Each structure stands twice: as C-alpha cells, then as structure tokens.
Amino acid sequence: MGKPVVVLSNNDGCVVARSQEVKDLGIKMGVPVFRIYELIKRYDVQVYSSNYSLYGDLSGRVMSTLAYFAPDVEIYSIDEAFIDLSGFRYRDLTEYGNEIRQRVLQWVGIPVSVGIAPTKTLAKLANLIAKKSNSGVFDLSVYPSIDEILSQVDVGDIWGVGFKYATWLREKGINTALQLKNADESLIRKKMGIVGVKLQLELRGESCLAMELLDNPKKGTCVSRSFPQSIDTMPELKEAIASFTHRAAEKLRRQKQAASVITVFARTSPFRDNFYSNSATAELDLSTNYTLELSRVAAQLTESIYRKGQNFKKAGVIMTGLVSEKQVQGNLFDVSNDEEKMRSRNLMSVMDTINEIYGRDTLRFATTGVIQVWKTKSEQRSPKYTTCWQDLLEVS
C-alpha cells in the first residue's frame, strides 16, 4: 500500500489498471509501457503483468464476503458491486460501511472503498470520494450539500457519460455534474435519449436504475490475443486459433450456452507497411459447445484467411448466435445419435473438471501445440497465491 502500481495488458504492452498513486503521476490508461519507462524508474512504480486467475479468485472472495452484509448484491464487474442497503436505514450507514470494509480486509486481505448514496449513479460518485479519503467510506446521503459535491465533479467522470457524450455536453456549456443535473431535460433527451434523462433523475436522488441480480445471457464471446512475436506459418496460426477456440468453448460450457456462428480473424501489425487483415465466418448446422466440432470449423476458416508471407500479430475467434445448451434445436440432417452426444458431453465435463482442479491446460488437445511460440508474454506476473499449489506463499 502507498506505492504506485500498474498492471499491464497481455504481452505486457499497455497500462490497463492503475493505483491512485499512478493516476496522481499523470500516467494515462492505455499508454504503452515503453513510453513511461522514465517515470517507472524515477518513482519506483511497481509493474505487474495481468494475472486473471488471481484477480478472479480474489474477486469471488470479496463478493462472497459482501453477501454477508445484504441479501441483494449486484456484481457489476470484477472489482465493483452494488449492495442494496434500503432495509438498513435504522443503522448508521457510515458505520456499516466501515464494518464492511474491515471485514473484507480481514477475510480477503485487500482494501476496498465504500460509497453510499440513494441512487447507483450517486453511489459511484460517493465511491470516487471514498477512494481518496483516509477512511475509505463516504456517505453522500448524509452530506449537508450534495450540490456542492456535484459542482466539483467533471461531467466526464459521471458513470454512464462516455467520451463522446462528455465532449457534446461541454460544447453545450455543461461541464459539471451539477450543471447536468439542472440542464434542460428536453435538450438531454434529444441527444442522449431516455438514458440521459435517467442519469439526470439519478443525480437528483431519484433511483431509476434497479439492481440487476440475475446474469443476463451473453450474446457473444470472443477470445483473441496479440502475439509477442509475429508468426507467419499456417501451422502456427492454426495452433493459436485452435487454442483460442478451446478457451471460447470452455467459456460457453461455463455459461451453459452453445454457439451457432463462429468467426475467425487474423491481422498483421497496423504500424507496419502492407497491413493485412481478414476474417471468415461460418454458420453451424447445429449449435454446439463441443470443442472438437468448433475446432474443426475454426481450422477450415483459418485456412481460408491465411496468406503466405504475412507476419500475423494478432488473431482470435468470436462465437455468436448463442443459445442455451438446453434449447439446441436438431434438424433432419443430424446423423449423430444420443449415445454419441452423451459421450461428447461427458468428455468435455471430465476435461473441464480436471482443468478446474489441477489448473488450466492440465488436459488439452494436441491441436493447440506444445511449444506455443505465439503464447502471451507475462514476464512480470505475480504468483497465483490462492489458486496454484506451487505458488503458495512461503513463510519462514
């Protein structure tokens, strides 16, 4: 704590997460790491590769802890959640927020901040203040003047106002959250629609965004990677695409969904001459999440987009047309029998279970390769303390 920390994207390319100390140094999100080497050295910035296994496990522990404090918890992202405290008005909510913060620190070991407000939009603003406070908790609902706070918040920092809308609002002379709150509703509705009006009402303390307690079915899933070094042969590209397809199939099975459309794409570096990019799509006869079937189609698509002599820098696969795996419709030309389908499901279930218990890729298909020269570079990755026996913290 107290040290500036950045986390890098795949292949250690760009900054994708920053501690407050790094933000204070003026280091922007998405900046290539080679452009900030001097700042890293001068301010002893701690640099880490992405470690999604560790982040996902810790996130799950934090969310489980939050569930002890309220029946309704909406997991908004890997590091954010909304808690419905409407039934806790008899309590001092600032004190309750401190209790939540202390419990997460004690059980999981990481600090969190708690913002409390009557609406989700105001809660996000309260959390911005809480992050910068010593206590880590800020209750906007008991603050004497919410307008005083809103007058100091840039309109671009409001949850739901992206770069495009922020630019338009500033052109109209709306520079702060307070000005947006008091702006002409018809003007906001004309440009931002009902979403903009709801945003205004939320800033006025009228809750318009309900808690989303159920996961929305995903409409698509994508697995793509940039390569640490370019690859130019068909076997290497097919190997990489096969690995991405296997990962996408795992995600589909975890979501209990099946894909009916698969797209494969690959491209060279956009910063080099003769930029080449291509993609191919196939519609499957039957929706599926069976790895071997998806890999077979992906391999055919890869052959159609490969161009000899091109140095590929990035590739990926996109699964769309997702349906529930329980609602896959057959057709007259489906020759597979129930026994074959059951055998396929059992095979995937066994592989997923073993990989979950013993670690990713403990079992994998030979088409994903052995050496994997295209594999993502993560030279600064921290140990997976909570999910890998070999990385357990040693105490001497």
Side-chain angles (χ1 to χ4, degrees):
M1 292 178 65
K3 286 189 175 182
V5 178
V6 296
V7 176
L8 306 180
S9 61
N10 290 327
N11 286 321
D12 297 343
C14 302
V15 173
V16 294
R18 305 164 295 164
S19 66
Q20 185 59 48
E21 293 80 5
V22 171
K23 295 176 184 175
D24 294 340
L25 291 175
I27 295 176
K28 303 293 184 185
M29 184 71 90
V31 65
V33 69
F34 68 84
R35 291 186 179 171
I36 58 171
Y37 279 147
E38 186 182 338
L39 289 173
I40 290 173
K41 188 175 179 181
R42 188 191 308 168
Y43 296 102
D44 192 26
V45 177
Q46 306 298 300
V47 180
Y48 291 96
S49 304
S50 299
N51 188 338
Y52 299 112
S53 299
L54 179 64
Y55 306 154
D57 184 65
L58 289 179
S59 173
R61 294 177 188 220
V62 170
M63 301 308 172
S64 298
T65 306
L66 297 182
Y68 280 88
F69 290 89
D72 294 335
V73 178
E74 175 189 336
I75 300 174
Y76 177 65
S77 65
I78 193 170
D79 63 348
E80 288 182 291
F82 291 102
I83 306 176
D84 185 359
L85 296 179
S86 55
F88 295 76
R89 298 189 192 285
Y90 63 94
R91 295 200 54 160
D92 181 331
L93 293 182
T94 301
E95 183 184 314
Y96 200 50
N98 276 314
E99 192 177 328
I100 294 171
R101 191 168 184 267
Q102 290 301 322
R103 186 69 63 84
V104 172
L105 186 62
Q106 180 185 359
W107 286 8
V108 188
I110 62 174
V112 296
S113 55
V114 181
I116 303 167
T119 71
K120 292 168 83 172
T121 303
L122 289 176
K124 289 279 287 184
L125 291 179
N127 192 251
L128 281 177
I129 300 169
K131 280 181 182 176
K132 298 178 181 178
S133 69
N134 293 326
S135 66
V137 178
F138 185 76
D139 186 355
L140 192 59
S141 62
V142 297
Y143 195 76
S145 174
I146 293 180
D147 283 357
E148 180 188 338
I149 297 287
L150 296 183
S151 68
Q152 298 173 38
V153 176
D154 186 274
V155 72
D157 290 335
I158 301 172
W159 183 46
V161 177
F163 177 78
K164 183 180 172 184
Y165 282 139
T167 303
W168 177 79
L169 289 167
R170 291 192 186 100
E171 288 173 354
K172 299 298 179 184
I174 301 171
N175 297 298
T176 67
L178 180 62
Q179 289 173 322
L180 177 58
K181 171 188 170 184
N182 297 326
D184 180 3
E185 187 176 310
S186 61
L187 175 71
I188 300 301
R189 182 187 292 274
K190 188 175 181 181
K191 179 66 178 180
M192 302 176 69
I194 188 63
V195 174
V197 176
K198 285 185 176 180
L199 201 56
Q200 281 188 297
L201 294 174
E202 286 257 317
L203 290 173
R204 293 168 188 164
E206 186 176 333
S207 180
C208 301
L209 304 175
M211 295 281 285
E212 296 180 6
L213 304 178
L214 298 176
D215 291 337
N216 293 321
K218 295 185 182 300
K219 297 179 180 178
T221 190
C222 173
V223 177
S224 66
R225 299 283 185 277
S226 295
F227 306 130
Q229 58 192 43
S230 300
I231 58 177
D232 57 5
T233 68
M234 172 78 85
E236 287 176 337
L237 185 60
K238 290 180 75 172
E239 193 179 277
I241 293 288
S243 181
F244 302 156
T245 305
H246 287 211
R247 191 72 63 234
E250 283 178 355
K251 292 170 72 173
L252 289 177
R253 292 193 292 274
R254 198 162 49 241
Q255 295 160 194
K256 301 190 183 306
Q257 291 181 304
S260 57
V261 180
I262 177 171
T263 299
V264 167
F265 67 92
R267 66 167 172 78
T268 61
S269 172
F271 305 106
R272 299 287 178 86
D273 294 336
N274 301 319
F275 173 67
Y276 173 78
S277 177
N278 202 353
S279 65
T281 299
E283 189 168 344
L284 305 173
D285 294 331
L286 284 175
S287 301
T288 183
N289 56 21
Y290 184 39
T291 298
L292 286 181
E293 174 61 15
L294 293 168
S295 296
R296 182 186 65 78
V297 178
Q300 294 173 348
L301 296 174
T302 306
E303 291 174 4
S304 70
I305 64 173
Y306 175 78
R307 293 293 181 274
K308 189 175 182 180
Q310 298 290 352
N311 295 309
F312 292 98
K313 192 62 180 171
K314 183 173 184 177
V317 343
I318 303 171
M319 306 286 182
T320 51
L322 304 190
V323 298
S324 168
E325 64 180 4
K326 294 180 180 177
Q327 297 174 342
V328 174
Q329 284 192 331
N331 64 39
L332 292 173
F333 306 102
D334 180 16
V335 295
S336 58
N337 56 45
D338 290 342
E339 186 180 343
E340 289 174 333
K341 291 176 182 175
M342 180 61 73
R343 193 160 52 233
S344 301
R345 281 197 292 270
N346 289 342
L347 173 61
M348 294 299 96
S349 176
V350 168
M351 284 193 68
D352 291 343
T353 301
I354 289 176
N355 286 333
E356 186 176 342
I357 295 174
Y358 297 102
R360 177 176 289 181
D361 290 338
T362 299
L363 278 183
R364 66 182 189 215
F365 291 95
T367 52
T368 62
V370 177
I371 299 176
Q372 299 184 327
V373 295
W374 44 268
K375 197 164 186 178
T376 303
K377 181 174 69 175
S378 296
E379 295 178 341
Q380 308 292 332
R381 187 159 63 191
S382 52
K384 293 172 278 189
Y385 295 112
T386 59
T387 58
C388 179
W389 286 109
Q390 289 74 23
D391 289 353
L392 273 177
L393 190 64
E394 294 182 6
V395 180
S396 57

